Amino acid sequence: KDGYQAGVSNLVDSVTRPFGTHPQSQVFLDPSGDTVPGSGLPSANYPGFGWHTYRVEVQDKQARLLDDGVQIGIASSQQATISNGPLGLSSGQVVLRVSSIRILTL
């Protein structure tokens, strides 16, 4: 089965754009070769300041990333299903404050 990762990266302030870099959100599959062409692409994402509710929904062949209920990333697999684990949370070069984590099976 495919695994997946979903997240926000390249966080920069609202003015600084070194070499045209923008903050982005993305869902990508591992192995990447199983990704349906045209899905799993990064998109510009400007989360700003304050608390956000991020949600990853995985169903059948698709993983979606939502920020406060708005879809900010999606990837679809060419395989029958996407893996249901393991789960993890990571952060690099940014302070991440987490107030709660919930895992729901629907």
Side-chain angles (χ1 to χ4, degrees), residues 4 55-59 62-66 71 75 82 106:
Y4 66 90
R55 178 180 180 129
V56 178
E57 296 179 349
V58 180
Q59 185 174 11
Q62 195 171 73
R64 298 176 24 181
L65 173 63
L66 297 100
Q71 182 175 300
I82 295 177
L106 303 175

Side-chain angles (χ1 to χ4, degrees), residues 45-67:
N45 179 38
Y46 298 90
F49 298 98
W51 289 96
H52 291 269
T53 300
Y54 290 96
R55 178 180 180 129
V56 178
E57 296 179 349
V58 180
Q59 185 174 11
D60 299 325
K61 301 163 85 171
Q62 195 171 73
R64 298 176 24 181
L65 173 63
L66 297 100
D67 178 1

Side-chain angles (χ1 to χ4, degrees), residues 44-105:
N45 179 38
Y46 298 90
F49 298 98
W51 289 96
H52 291 269
T53 300
Y54 290 96
R55 178 180 180 129
V56 178
E57 296 179 349
V58 180
Q59 185 174 11
D60 299 325
K61 301 163 85 171
Q62 195 171 73
R64 298 176 24 181
L65 173 63
L66 297 100
D67 178 1
D68 296 329
V70 176
Q71 182 175 300
I72 59 173
I74 188 167
S76 299
S77 173
Q78 297 182 60
Q79 300 299 318
T81 58
I82 295 177
S83 177
N84 57 5
L87 299 173
L89 177 65
S90 64
S91 174
Q93 299 179 348
V94 66
V95 175
L96 182 65
R97 291 185 294 166
V98 178
S99 66
S100 66
I101 295 177
R102 292 187 308 161
I103 300 171
L104 305 171
T105 302

